[in-house]
């Protein structure tokens, strides 16, 4: 009987492993396909040759797609874990959700951590160097020569990074000589800290920019505006530009290009006005205010949760991200308000991720990274994939550090040295709350500030860059500003 029980247990364990592997493969396959279509949408078509460079571009494309899929998995992992915990609590003995267990969740966290390291330290550097390689001088040109040069560059880069981290770790702890137990975890801990600092910089900016972005996507209410008159004026301006274009000689190349650009801007403006005119009254007067109020509520709740987390850090040691381990998956709810609180946490996590991406591309330093449809080089795609990977890998850590969720990070995501430092965690929370509040105050007081600058005559000094956030002031063909 004992032998039969042992065989049955081994069979159960084997079937469980096969089931978990199949689920992980299916989930990753879906993410890979979606990521592939996203990259193809932005990839420059002129890069598609039928030669050696085409093979290199194709390999770099597959590696970038793999990295983007891993980034999407890292973003979805925390919400998936939270909702899985609530489902297991609601239906503890349901046969159809037995596959959703702690072993699967823990395995997904370990895989996400492993693949994040693999993409960040191996695949993406390989894709970049492989794309830029030409082969060493004196060797026969070809794929093998380029692979050899890429591997040499990777080896040199690895020695440089490992040497820098070795020196840094020796300064902190002179007894830390174990490569696998301290050195590599310390390296990824430093990368995670850099990612969280990048999120700290991008997310407050993105939270304020979200109002502008949604204002550009939605139809604003037409208050004291005559859209018919504006469309008529834009149509006259378009016809005047077309007549000027037909009247110019083809030899005046600069003027022709300038007029074509102005005509394109006028057509875009006309399209926006026609869309506003065709929009229903519900879309104009209800959807836009509701979305703006929803964004304001979500931002306010985020700041409020961070403020509460600061108070908890000051009075309770277990509020630390690296505090006591919570109950296992399916044992207790992670939110005080049960399923509703868990749903709110998931919404806030996605909102923070979208805001961080918006804020990342809004920063002047990373503005050139913004991908363009059908006009993005593979080098820029690799840079975007690395940036998104760093942001997405740091998102679960940031959410736990800020107190957005109480879910204890599983696997290697929870083994970061700096998460146990009280002063780093407290400073991070304080900086996030202060920077987000300042960005929102700057956003909602920009109109008053602009009027004060104009009244004092300081607007000529260009002290404010609110024109970047404004979509209502567009240059017309005659050089004047037209408020729409």
């Amino acid at each position: 009987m004992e032998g039969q029980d042992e065989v049955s247990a081994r069979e159960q364990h084997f079937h469980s492993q096969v089931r978990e592997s199949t689920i992980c493969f299916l989930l990753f396959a879906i993410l890979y396909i979606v990521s592939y279509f996203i990259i193809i949408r932005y990839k420059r078509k002129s890069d598609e040759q039928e030669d050696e460079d085409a093979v290199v571009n194709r390999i770099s494309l597959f590696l970038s797609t793999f990295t983007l899929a891993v980034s999407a998995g890292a973003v979805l992992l925390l919400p998936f874990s939270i909702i899985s915990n609530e489902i297991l609590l609601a239906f503890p003995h349901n046969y159809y959700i037995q596959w959703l267990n702690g072993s699967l969740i823990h395995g997904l966290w370990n895989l996400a951590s492993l693949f994040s390291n693999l993409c960040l330290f191996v695949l993406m550097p390989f894709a970049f160097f492989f794309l830029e390689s030409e082969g060493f001088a004196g060797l026969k040109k070809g794929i093998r020569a380029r692979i050899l040069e890429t591997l040499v560059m990777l080896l040199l880069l690895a020695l440089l990074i490992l040497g820098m981290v070795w020196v840094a770790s020796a300064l902190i702890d002179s007894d830390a000589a174990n490569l696998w137990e301290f050195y590599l975890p310390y390296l990824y801990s430093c990368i995670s800290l850099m990612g969280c600092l990048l999120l700290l910089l991008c997310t407050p900016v993105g939270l304020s920019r979200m109002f502008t972005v949604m204002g550009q996507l939605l139809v604003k209410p037409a208050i004291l505006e005559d859209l018919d008159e504006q469309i008529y004026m834009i149509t006259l301006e378009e016809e005047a530009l077309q007549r000027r274009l037909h009247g110019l000689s083809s030899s005046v190349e600069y003027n022709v290009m300038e007029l074509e650009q102005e005509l394109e801007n006028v057509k875009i403006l006309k399209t926006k006005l026609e869309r506003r005119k065709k929009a229903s009254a519900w879309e104009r007067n209800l959807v836009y205010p509701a979305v703006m109020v929803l964004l304001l509520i979500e931002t306010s709740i985020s700041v409020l949760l961070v403020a509460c987390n600061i108070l908890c850090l000051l009075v309770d040691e277990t509020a630390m991200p690296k505090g006591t381990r919570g109950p296992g998956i399916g044992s207790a709810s992670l939110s005080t308000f049960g399923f509703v609180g868990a749903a709110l946490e998931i919404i806030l996590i996605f909102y923070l991720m979208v805001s961080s991406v918006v804020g990342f591309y809004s920063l002047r330093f990373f503005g050139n990274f913004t991908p363009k449809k059908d006009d993005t080089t593979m080098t820029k795609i690799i840079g975007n994939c690395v940036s998104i990977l760093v942001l997405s890998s740091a998102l679960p850590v940031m959410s736990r550090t800020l107190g957005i969720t109480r879910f204890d990070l599983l696997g290697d995501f929870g083994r970061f040295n700096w998460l146990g430092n009280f002063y780093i965690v407290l400073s991070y929370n304080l900086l996030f709350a202060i920077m987000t509040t300042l960005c929102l105050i700057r956003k909602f007081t920009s109109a008053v500030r602009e009027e004060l600058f104009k009244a004092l005559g300081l607007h000529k000094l260009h002290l404010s860059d609110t024109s970047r956030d404004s979509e209502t002031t567009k240059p017309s063909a005659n050089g004047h500003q037209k408020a729409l």
Side-chain angles (χ1 to χ4, degrees):
M1 291 295 294
E2 292 182 0
Q4 291 179 353
D5 292 340
E6 185 178 350
V7 172
S8 177
R10 283 203 302 266
E11 288 181 352
Q12 267 187 337
H13 179 71
F14 174 76
H15 290 307
S16 176
Q17 292 293 326
V18 172
R19 183 173 63 246
E20 292 175 8
S21 301
T22 305
I23 293 172
C24 293
F25 176 78
L26 290 176
L27 292 176
F28 185 78
I30 294 173
L31 293 177
Y32 188 90
I33 293 172
V34 173
S35 302
Y36 178 79
F37 283 109
I38 291 175
I39 292 181
I40 287 296
R41 176 182 175 84
Y42 290 99
K43 182 177 179 293
R44 179 179 291 177
K45 303 303 179 184
S46 60
D47 288 343
E48 299 176 356
Q49 308 99 349
E50 292 298 332
D51 52 9
E52 177 185 316
D53 290 333
V55 177
V56 174
N57 275 309
R58 200 171 295 119
I59 294 175
S60 300
L61 173 64
F62 292 152
L63 295 179
S64 300
T65 306
F66 183 86
T67 302
L68 189 59
V70 172
S71 304
V75 172
L76 297 173
L77 188 55
L78 185 57
F80 179 76
S81 303
I82 295 173
I83 197 67
S84 299
N85 183 73
E86 299 300 325
I87 291 176
L88 288 174
L89 280 175
F91 308 100
H93 304 294
N94 194 313
Y95 174 77
Y96 296 101
I97 61 170
Q98 291 301 313
W99 59 272
L100 198 63
N101 50 39
S103 176
L104 173 66
I105 304 299
H106 197 278
L108 287 173
W109 280 84
N110 283 330
L111 286 176
S113 177
L114 174 64
F115 287 153
S116 297
N117 285 308
L118 181 66
C119 293
L120 191 60
F121 296 117
V122 180
L123 298 186
M124 283 292 94
F126 178 86
F128 176 76
F129 290 130
F130 192 44
L131 198 66
E132 299 294 327
S133 64
E134 296 180 357
F136 291 114
L139 295 179
K140 184 179 178 181
K141 301 298 182 181
I143 298 295
R144 291 184 178 180
R146 299 180 72 162
I147 291 177
L148 178 61
E149 181 184 350
T150 303
L151 293 177
V152 172
M153 293 298 296
L154 276 179
L155 179 61
L156 295 176
L157 179 65
L159 291 176
L160 176 63
I161 294 177
L162 292 177
M164 293 173 60
V165 178
W166 184 277
V167 172
S169 61
L171 292 175
I172 296 174
D173 187 358
S174 58
D175 297 329
N178 193 317
L179 180 67
W180 297 104
E181 293 184 3
F182 179 84
Y183 193 52
L184 293 180
Y186 179 79
L187 175 60
Y188 191 56
S189 180
C190 294
I191 298 297
S192 72
L193 179 59
M194 292 173 58
C196 287
L197 292 178
L198 183 60
L199 280 175
L200 180 63
L201 182 64
C202 298
T203 308
V205 177
L207 289 174
S208 63
R209 283 281 297 172
M210 283 293 291
F211 295 91
T212 302
V213 172
M214 296 306 297
Q216 294 173 353
L217 297 176
L218 300 175
V219 178
K220 292 183 179 180
I223 302 175
L224 301 178
E225 286 186 307
D226 190 349
L227 294 179
D228 292 328
E229 181 183 355
Q230 293 182 17
I231 292 175
Y232 177 71
M233 293 172 60
I234 287 292
T235 304
L236 292 178
E237 191 172 354
E238 181 183 3
E239 293 174 355
L241 284 171
Q242 288 175 346
R243 285 195 298 269
R244 289 179 62 188
L245 267 175
H246 294 318
L248 280 177
S249 172
S250 59
S251 60
V252 191
E253 184 178 353
Y254 176 75
N255 290 337
V256 170
M257 293 178 59
E258 185 179 356
L259 284 177
E260 286 178 350
Q261 183 63 38
E262 290 183 2
L263 181 60
E264 185 67 25
N265 293 336
V266 169
K267 288 181 179 179
I268 294 174
L269 219 71
K270 183 180 178 181
T271 304
K272 290 182 179 180
L273 287 174
E274 290 175 346
R275 178 172 176 263
R276 291 183 64 188
K277 183 182 177 181
K278 293 178 182 178
S280 63
W282 288 97
E283 186 179 357
R284 287 198 306 265
N285 302 321
L286 182 63
V287 175
Y288 180 83
V291 170
M292 290 298 155
V293 171
L294 183 62
L295 291 178
L296 184 60
I297 291 175
E298 289 179 347
T299 307
S300 303
I301 291 177
S302 301
V303 177
L304 184 61
L305 287 176
V306 175
C308 293
N309 188 55
I310 293 174
L311 294 178
C312 292
L313 288 172
L314 294 174
V315 299
D316 188 5
E317 293 183 357
T318 59
M320 289 288 294
K322 207 173 182 179
T324 57
R325 284 289 178 183
I329 299 293
S331 300
S333 179
L334 302 173
S335 174
T336 308
F337 301 101
F339 188 83
V340 177
L344 179 61
E345 290 179 2
I346 293 173
I347 293 174
L348 290 178
I349 290 170
F350 281 121
Y351 180 57
L352 289 178
M353 184 59 198
V354 174
S355 300
S356 65
V357 174
V358 172
F360 177 80
Y361 290 116
S362 299
L363 296 175
R364 294 181 180 179
F365 184 76
F366 302 107
N368 294 329
F369 267 52
T370 306
K372 298 179 181 178
K373 183 181 177 182
D374 298 330
D375 192 28
T376 308
T377 61
M378 274 307 305
T379 304
K380 188 174 290 187
I381 287 176
I382 291 173
N384 277 274
C385 290
V386 171
S387 303
I388 297 298
L389 176 64
V390 172
L391 292 176
S392 60
S393 299
L395 178 67
V397 184
M398 186 192 75
S399 302
R400 180 67 181 92
T401 305
L402 295 178
I404 303 297
T405 179
R406 295 296 178 186
F407 184 86
D408 286 309
L409 307 179
L410 300 173
D412 293 333
F413 274 83
R415 296 193 304 165
F416 297 144
N417 299 328
W418 60 272
L419 287 177
N421 192 309
F422 172 78
Y423 297 102
I424 293 180
V425 174
L426 181 63
S427 302
Y428 192 89
N429 281 262
L430 288 172
L431 286 174
F432 182 87
I434 293 172
M435 291 176 64
T436 304
T437 304
L438 291 178
C439 287
L440 290 176
I441 292 175
R442 177 183 177 275
K443 171 67 181 176
F444 290 110
T445 60
S446 59
V448 178
R449 188 172 63 253
E450 283 294 307
E451 292 300 324
L452 287 176
F453 284 161
K454 290 179 181 179
L456 297 175
L458 299 177
H459 61 286
K460 299 178 181 179
L461 300 178
H462 303 288
L463 298 177
S464 177
D465 59 349
T466 53
S467 59
R468 183 183 175 192
D469 293 341
S470 177
E471 53 131 0
T472 58
T473 306
K474 300 288 183 181
S476 61
N478 55 11
H480 296 289
Q481 297 293 326
K482 185 176 296 182
L484 300 179

